[in-house]
Amino acid sequence: MTDDATTVIRNDEKNRYDLHVGDVAAGFAAFERDDQGRLVFDHTVVDKAFGGRGLGKTLAAEALADVARRGETVVPECPFIVKFLRENEVAGLRVDWRDEDAADAASAQPSA
């Protein structure tokens, strides 16, 4: 593992997925569990010091893939996560779109 290794780890204590570059915290994708047990992703942050490296996409891809492996359902509210899901397919992921996003998502073509 190199000093610049990127990792994404679920942090259930803080309700988020933490992004690290080496041992430095670089960002997170926050979620809340709703009354149906779904994970509502509502905020994603990547520190500006790590900008331009595609780490937001890495964070979204790895976090959502982990949710899919766990058999959980996502409700995307964060604009970054909404955009990511409109443009990318995550194998096995169950997504419950909000009404205003459902029509847009249905017409979007994934660019895998």
Side-chain angles (χ1 to χ4, degrees):
M1 183 179 285
T2 67
D3 291 341
D4 289 337
T6 302
T7 57
V8 176
I9 300 169
R10 183 160 165 161
N11 182 340
D12 283 316
E13 289 180 17
K14 293 187 177 180
N15 288 333
R16 66 188 199 184
Y17 281 86
D18 291 323
L19 170 69
H20 289 86
V21 176
D23 61 356
V24 178
F28 63 88
F31 61 84
E32 292 293 330
R33 194 171 294 278
D34 70 8
D35 60 353
Q36 297 176 41
R38 303 174 304 178
L39 300 185
V40 181
F41 277 80
D42 58 4
H43 191 61
T44 302
V45 173
V46 173
D47 188 303
K48 290 181 183 181
F50 295 95
R53 295 169 59 177
L55 293 175
K57 288 182 181 181
T58 299
L59 172 57
E62 292 191 23
L64 296 169
D66 182 66
V67 172
R69 282 189 299 274
R70 293 170 183 256
E72 297 173 310
T73 300
V74 166
V75 179
E77 286 187 350
C78 167
F80 187 84
I81 297 294
V82 168
K83 183 175 191 270
F84 181 86
L85 286 170
R86 285 182 183 157
E87 296 176 353
N88 300 276
E89 183 175 342
V90 178
L93 184 65
R94 290 186 307 237
V95 180
D96 284 352
W97 293 97
R98 297 285 188 211
D99 291 340
E100 62 270 13
D101 294 321
D104 291 338
S107 64
Q109 296 296 321
S111 59

